[in-house]
Amino acid sequence: MEKKQFAYFEGKFVPLEEANINIMTSGFLYGTAIFEGLRAYWNERKEEIYIFRLREHYERLQDSMKIMRMDVKYSLDELCNLTIELARRNNPRGDTYIRPTVYKAAKQIGPSLLNNPSELCIFTVAFGDYFHGADGLHVQVSAWRRVEDNAIPARAKIVGAYANTALAKTDAVAAGFDECIVLSENGHVSEGSAMNVFMVKRGKLITTPTTENILEGITRNTIIEMAASEWGLKTECRPIDRSELYIADELFFCGTGAQIAPIVSVDRRPVGNGKVGPISDKIRSLYVSMCRGDVPKYSKWLTPVFKPDGDPMGQAAGKTAGCC
Ligand SMILES: Cc1ncc(COP(=O)(O)O)c(C=O)c1O
């Protein structure tokens, strides 16, 4: 029998099927909602599930709220605790995705952010790999441009901005590609549809700067820190031209959903020798073991749901040291 699933909705835990918003809700009518996407990794041997970088996701949620003039009713600790409590109630036995959303809740016509209270909802859902297969992705440089900071700031996870993502991703898939890389209006590489991009060139790790209309990815920051600490690989954050994609030795995407996803061709041109590159491969292997709780050095980034270890909100992790 299916387990009963709960959501956090309008201030309480309710059965998931009762967590419904009215069709006149502002956030639904105008896309004036912000969200986060977190993963929790099941470790069968330990019978435990670990939420990855819980606190950092809620720090970013609060930043998105600030940009969208949303009032903060919950502290960071409260947001983390609510999420742990919800995960416990839903009692997952496999990898899980956690989706908190804060939405403008007035039932009114007109997209104003003022005099428009916000509400929080959170649900969890079983979630495996976003990309299937280990052979790498074939991607297209999208004809769509990334939303600019002065249009809809990409550093906030604003629901309405994901129409841009949907157009770019859908056209890439419709054209027979796995994914796309989107450029900013200035022609520089921005990011994938819902993931950041890294390039390897002559042994150097390079990623796009935060000013290139990207979401400042938590996975991106994780890789920057991990690569420096594990292999002494410093990441250069600088604008990347489209043509650099064609001559890169390696390329990979990273994100909560995508995890680490190597790219083997761009616009039908092979990346490097057209196979998953060695640096992408070792980052991918370590990342997955780390998320599953098998690398003690990185347990600071994991929040166990069932057996708290004295650092329930991953507070020891703090802000990422190595980000740029
Ligand atoms: C537009 C966009 N860029 C990048 C990312 C990667 O961010 P993170 O690593 O924090 O998941 C996401 C993830 O959801 C995204 O939606």
Side-chain angles (χ1 to χ4, degrees):
M1 207 177 71
E2 286 269 295
K3 274 183 301 181
K4 189 158 192 71
Q5 294 293 290
F6 293 89
Y8 187 77
F9 182 65
E10 294 182 343
K12 46 187 194 293
F13 294 100
V14 299
L16 181 60
E17 62 276 12
E18 290 173 24
N20 302 310
I21 63 159
N22 185 290
I23 59 169
M24 283 185 69
T25 306
S26 231
F28 170 70
L29 293 179
Y30 299 105
T32 45
I34 58 92
F35 70 103
E36 272 302 317
L38 298 85
R39 265 189 191 266
Y41 288 84
W42 174 246
N43 186 313
E44 185 69 43
R45 189 170 46 84
K46 298 182 185 170
E47 294 221 323
E48 179 57 279
I49 189 158
Y50 297 102
I51 306 176
F52 187 62
R53 307 205 71 165
L54 172 64
R55 199 169 180 84
E56 289 85 342
H57 277 280
Y58 278 114
E59 281 171 348
R60 190 171 64 188
L61 182 106
Q62 290 188 329
D63 287 347
S64 298
M65 289 172 69
K66 211 167 179 182
I67 288 174
M68 290 300 282
R69 293 175 172 270
M70 290 170 162
D71 32 286
V72 184
K73 276 195 281 198
Y74 301 90
S75 69
L76 200 51
D77 285 353
E78 283 167 338
L79 290 165
C80 292
N81 283 328
L82 280 175
T83 304
I84 297 167
E85 174 60 24
L86 178 66
R88 263 190 213 132
R89 285 181 188 228
N90 286 340
N91 198 22
R93 286 292 178 273
D95 293 349
T96 298
Y97 181 77
I98 303 170
R99 167 63 70 98
T101 301
V102 182
Y103 56 97
K104 285 291 183 182
K107 296 176 185 68
Q108 66 185 25
I109 301 299
S112 175
L113 300 178
L114 299 174
N115 303 315
N116 193 341
S118 41
E119 285 288 349
L120 166 73
C121 61
I122 317 174
F123 67 84
T124 74
V125 65
F127 196 58
D129 285 341
Y130 185 77
F131 293 119
H132 299 285
D135 293 343
L137 304 174
H138 299 277
V139 314
Q140 171 189 51
V141 174
S142 182
W144 296 97
R145 289 291 185 265
R146 188 74 181 117
V147 283
E148 288 288 319
D149 191 59
N150 284 307
I152 307 180
R155 69 165 40 74
K157 269 181 90 74
I158 298 169
V159 168
Y162 281 74
N164 174 247
T165 307
L167 289 166
K169 169 85 184 192
T170 306
D171 280 6
V173 171
F177 295 91
D178 300 308
E179 190 35 76
C180 58
I181 291 176
V182 187
L183 309 178
S184 290
E185 286 295 349
N186 63 15
H188 294 148
V189 171
S190 179
E191 57 182 345
S193 67
M195 54 207 78
N196 296 122
V197 188
F198 278 75
M199 173 172 94
V200 178
K201 186 70 182 174
R202 298 198 180 90
K204 235 193 208 162
L205 206 49
I206 302 160
T207 193
T208 51
T210 55
T211 45
E212 214 53 79
N213 303 307
I214 66 168
L215 180 76
E216 294 177 34
I218 289 164
T219 319
R220 173 184 178 276
N221 289 347
T222 301
I223 290 165
I224 292 172
E225 188 168 336
M226 217 172 73
S229 143
E230 294 292 322
W231 306 291
L233 252 181
K234 286 230 166 68
T235 303
E236 192 182 338
C237 295
R238 63 152 175 86
I240 297 176
D241 281 339
R242 174 187 189 149
S243 56
E244 287 186 280
L245 299 173
Y246 300 151
I247 56 167
D249 297 328
E250 299 181 37
L251 288 171
F252 62 89
F253 287 123
C254 68
T256 299
Q259 303 176 101
I260 311 300
I263 299 167
V264 293
S265 80
V266 180
D267 292 342
R268 309 281 182 221
R269 294 160 167 91
V271 174
N273 64 4
K275 302 244 160 58
V276 172
I279 295 179
S280 316
D281 201 35
K282 71 183 177 186
I283 292 175
R284 177 169 63 178
S285 318
L286 180 61
Y287 181 80
V288 171
S289 325
M290 171 190 74
C291 290
R292 220 166 274 295
D294 288 330
V295 187
K297 177 177 172 187
Y298 295 110
S299 61
K300 62 180 182 178
W301 287 333
L302 305 178
T303 301
V305 167
F306 298 122
K307 295 165 251 170
D309 62 356
D311 182 26
M313 273 84 71
Q315 303 206 35
K319 284 268 184 197
T320 308
C323 56
C324 58

